[in-house]
Amino acid sequence: MSPVQKRIFINKLALIFSTLSAIIALAFLFWILGVLVMKGLSALNWNIFIYEGAPPGYEESGLKHALVGQLILVGMATGVGVPLGILAGTYLSEYGKNSKLANTIRDISDIMMSAPSIVIGAFVYAIVVLPMGHFSAWAGSIALGIIMIPIILRTTDDMLQLVPGTLREAAFALGAPKYKVILNVVYRGAKAGILTGVLLGVARVAGETAPLLFTSFNDNFFTTDLSQAMPSLTVTMFNYATSPYEDWQQLGWAAAFILSMFILGLNILGRLILLSTKKGK
Amino acid sequence: MASIIDIKGECALHVRNFDFTYKGATAPSLKKISMPIAKNSITALIGPSGCGKTTLLRSFNRMHDLYPGNKYEGEILFDGRNILDPKEDLIHLRTRIGMIFQKPTAFPMSIYDNVAYGLRLKGIKNKSELDGRVEKALQDAAIWKETQDRLKHDANGLSGGQQQRLCIARAIAVEPEVLLFDEPTSALDPISTQGIEKLVIELKEKVSIIIVTHNMQQAARVSDYTGFMYLGDLIELGYTEELFVTPKEKLTQEYITGKFG
Ligand SMILES: Nc1ncnc2c1ncn2[C@@H]1O[C@H](COP(=O)(O)OP(=O)(O)O)[C@@H](O)[C@H]1O
Ligand SMILES: [Mg+2]
């Protein structure tokens, strides 16, 4: 083989291998999605939204408790995590800039982002659950909020830094005080990016199970009492899917389907928002 | 030594022995600058890239204060006060001395809100007063016709030249006494450039203008006075028609005949 033929051969080989790998990876993805949709759709019915958990064998059993619990847990985490994350990100981009303190916060936040979520669950268990003496929705939300903060902080920081400095200068040149420059020029310029970060942050914590096992634990009944254990889709899914009862397993699939669609929807929405602003430019 | 003419009428600003040093720099970027800025006239600043034109321009509205560690020395007198005084109220100063940047800086909001921005900062809330002043500013910036039907549209939908006019409208809406232009046409096509130049000339009836340009023809076309800067020094300030025909300094002569720069 001449050197040129050899290179062409290696080129082809590499192309074949990388294409094959991509197909294998995608095949698994579609396999998972396919099973999820088939099993999940067949398990879906109105009872799921009407009834709370019941012992195995009961006709009138559903996921209302877990759906509402999930919304409460994620909602409270969002209520705390989003403002804190955005404010901290604003500090980094607009005030701390490249100072030592700001860069240290960025590093710590990055470490937190890659910390296993179960560790954060154990932490909240130690500082909230043990002193209170029992599991609670508060503890679950705190754990999810802690997981959410670094994600939102980082995207806010990045998105604010993408706003051109000349836009800030132009606002200052009109006599705007700094807080107004940030509030009505910088935030507006980064609106879509920050919103996308928030959606991705919410999507990320919505799928968490491990930190909830330590904190909000689980309950098979409908509750809105924040100081007690609270059911969630993820933990309920784990319990039902691993149970030996056919009807509980069905509910587990339904929970998996609903949760996946919720997270998929958030991700798609985030992408659409980014796309629509790019087109606008 | 530098050759600085005395100007005929009133002065809008007076620079005296002004030094400017960027944070961390070993030498000042502007050295002992002294010059008058004539009222209701256009003063152009020309000179090769990096000679300090932008640095000088951004001193007039204390833009350098946005980045800590820069150092001003000397005086810039405005209305009898030294605006380099650390106690100067920068927010107030910047409503009196406006600035137009090299690239259009339309805010991510509607055309109307862009122009109303400075007015609202001044505390004007009355809808009809805002409407009136927004329209007046857009008319004075010669962009009212194109925008009157789409005031609520996003300003980023305008062309580059229109955006630059919008920025001028936004700046003049608050009725400043001085306007600073930093190469306002360098990002624009020739037709838009012509329009902006015409507008700048019209504006001098109401405001005093300082315009930085790397384009000598532009300086010759629009300005009454021209200052030639070189390596942080002001080499010469003269009447525009004189400076380009009979410069007093050898360096100016060399620059305008294209020997360097
Ligand atoms: N932010 C800055 N920090 C340090 N030095 C700067 C900064 N901006 C400009 N300079 C320096 O100051 C000098 C004058 O720059 P500038 O005023 O931008 O020139 P011009 O506008 O005439 O092209 C240059 O030597 C430049 O390198
Ligand atoms: Mg410049």
Side-chain angles (χ1 to χ4, degrees):
Chain A
M1 250 197 282
S2 79
V4 174
Q5 276 176 321
K6 196 172 153 195
R7 259 185 276 162
I8 292 174
F9 176 72
I10 292 175
N11 210 0
K12 276 197 179 140
L13 215 61
L15 184 67
I16 290 169
F17 271 114
S18 55
T19 312
L20 266 181
S21 315
I23 289 173
I24 291 171
L26 278 178
F28 273 105
L29 179 69
F30 281 105
W31 188 6
I32 294 170
L33 273 177
V35 172
L36 187 68
V37 169
M38 276 191 330
K39 300 246 187 190
L41 272 183
S42 69
L44 271 188
N45 58 57
W46 285 118
N47 283 355
I48 284 174
F49 302 99
I50 296 167
Y51 299 114
E52 53 192 308
Y58 272 71
E59 187 73 359
E60 297 180 341
S61 75
L63 291 168
K64 186 174 105 179
H65 61 304
L67 283 167
V68 172
Q70 178 85 12
L71 285 178
I72 290 174
L73 289 169
V74 173
M76 291 208 305
T78 307
V80 178
V82 168
L84 276 178
I86 290 182
L87 285 174
T90 305
Y91 167 77
L92 293 181
S93 163
E94 304 301 311
Y95 293 91
K97 299 195 176 126
N98 268 322
S99 66
K100 247 200 187 128
L101 175 63
N103 282 328
T104 311
I105 295 175
R106 285 190 184 99
D107 289 343
I108 293 175
S109 153
D110 284 353
I111 293 169
M112 267 174 70
M113 215 182 317
S114 47
S117 56
I118 196 163
V119 174
I120 289 164
F123 167 73
V124 175
Y125 179 78
I127 65 156
V128 181
V129 177
L130 285 184
M132 277 176 82
H134 52 84
F135 297 116
S136 69
W138 292 116
S141 306
I142 291 170
L144 295 185
I146 292 176
I147 295 169
M148 194 187 269
I149 288 170
I151 302 170
I152 294 178
L153 173 152
R154 201 63 216 239
T155 37
T156 303
D157 183 18
D158 289 346
M159 292 300 149
L160 292 181
Q161 286 190 41
L162 282 182
V163 175
T166 52
L167 226 51
R168 292 182 182 81
E169 289 191 349
F172 279 116
L174 284 165
K178 182 154 186 166
Y179 78 95
K180 284 202 172 165
V181 175
I182 295 172
L183 277 181
N184 40 31
V185 174
V186 182
Y187 275 166
R188 259 172 209 262
K191 194 171 53 185
I194 294 175
L195 190 58
T196 303
V198 168
L199 290 176
L200 294 181
V202 173
R204 161 75 204 280
V205 302
E208 285 294 347
T209 320
L212 295 181
L213 280 172
F214 286 86
T215 51
S216 56
F217 195 59
N218 199 18
D219 194 341
N220 208 18
F221 300 101
F222 182 85
T223 173
T224 51
D225 184 352
L226 301 180
S227 62
Q228 293 301 324
M230 182 164 278
S232 57
L233 272 178
T234 47
V235 180
T236 301
M237 198 173 113
F238 172 76
N239 282 345
Y240 281 10
T242 53
S243 77
Y245 316 111
E246 169 100 25
D247 54 339
W248 272 24
Q249 289 168 9
Q250 283 290 314
L251 283 173
W253 279 111
F257 180 74
I258 294 170
L259 186 66
S260 306
M261 290 305 122
F262 177 68
I263 292 171
L264 191 67
L266 285 179
N267 276 291
I268 291 174
L269 192 63
R271 271 164 202 261
L272 284 182
I273 290 170
L274 271 194
L275 220 75
S276 70
T277 52
K278 266 190 203 129
K279 247 189 254 155
K281 287 267 158 68
Chain B
M1 255 326 286
S3 156
I4 313 290
I5 52 146
D6 280 331
I7 59 162
K8 289 177 204 149
E10 267 184 276
C11 270
L13 290 151
H14 217 120
V15 186
R16 283 210 191 125
N17 271 323
F18 175 52
D19 277 11
F20 181 85
T21 314
Y22 278 109
K23 181 191 177 183
T26 47
S29 289
L30 295 174
K31 289 167 271 180
K32 295 279 168 286
I33 308 277
S34 289
M35 70 188 293
I37 305 287
K39 209 167 192 167
N40 292 102
S41 305
I42 300 174
T43 304
L45 294 173
I46 61 168
S49 187
C51 69
K53 307 181 293 291
T54 297
T55 306
L56 177 57
L57 194 75
R58 288 163 66 91
S59 303
F60 291 117
N61 63 348
R62 300 267 306 263
M63 226 39 190
H64 297 298
D65 287 56
L66 297 180
Y67 311 95
N70 300 320
K71 201 167 92 204
Y72 306 95
E73 279 164 290
E75 291 183 324
I76 298 180
L77 297 173
F78 179 46
D79 234 3
R81 284 196 342 272
N82 179 15
I83 60 168
L84 300 180
D85 190 323
K87 290 199 286 286
E88 177 73 20
D89 175 359
L90 297 187
I91 289 179
H92 183 60
L93 176 71
R94 289 173 188 153
T95 61
R96 298 179 66 190
I97 302 186
M99 182 170 234
I100 313 295
F101 296 79
Q102 198 161 349
K103 280 206 192 120
T105 51
F107 297 147
M109 50 183 85
S110 72
I111 293 169
Y112 183 96
D113 288 339
N114 261 278
V115 183
Y117 191 80
L119 298 169
R120 288 188 173 127
L121 284 176
K122 276 190 150 182
I124 301 171
K125 293 200 185 82
N126 182 292
K127 175 93 169 72
S128 63
E129 185 181 357
L130 275 178
D131 286 354
R133 289 185 66 168
V134 167
E135 174 174 347
K136 172 123 194 345
L138 287 167
Q139 262 166 356
D140 289 348
I143 192 187
W144 172 248
K145 281 205 190 96
E146 299 136 270
T147 54
Q148 58 178 330
D149 304 327
R150 44 172 174 159
L151 291 176
K152 295 288 164 213
H153 290 216
D154 189 348
N156 281 304
L158 297 171
S159 73
Q162 289 172 326
Q163 286 191 27
Q164 197 61 304
R165 283 165 185 279
L166 178 71
C167 293
I168 294 175
R170 188 173 69 193
I172 59 182
V174 293
E175 298 178 342
E177 291 143 73
V178 180
L179 269 184
L180 311 168
F181 289 84
D182 191 357
E183 306 199 19
T185 62
S186 64
L188 303 182
D189 61 88
I191 307 259
S192 308
T193 298
Q194 224 179 6
I196 300 280
E197 286 181 6
K198 188 163 158 268
L199 178 56
V200 170
I201 294 171
E202 286 166 12
L203 286 175
K204 75 174 171 181
E205 261 183 48
K206 288 178 194 139
V207 290
S208 314
I209 290 167
I210 310 174
I211 180 167
V212 165
T213 173
H214 62 240
N215 178 337
M216 280 185 271
Q217 283 77 34
Q218 184 167 68
R221 281 192 299 265
V222 304
S223 69
D224 305 299
Y225 299 89
T226 297
F228 168 61
M229 296 181 69
Y230 186 62
L231 297 180
D233 289 311
L234 178 66
I235 304 294
E236 179 166 354
L237 175 76
Y239 295 111
T240 298
E241 63 265 31
E242 284 177 18
L243 186 131
F244 281 107
V245 180
T246 52
K248 297 201 175 71
E249 296 287 330
K250 186 153 171 289
L251 265 173
T252 317
Q253 161 86 36
E254 285 175 2
Y255 183 70
I256 61 175
T257 54
K259 291 227 172 73
F260 67 90

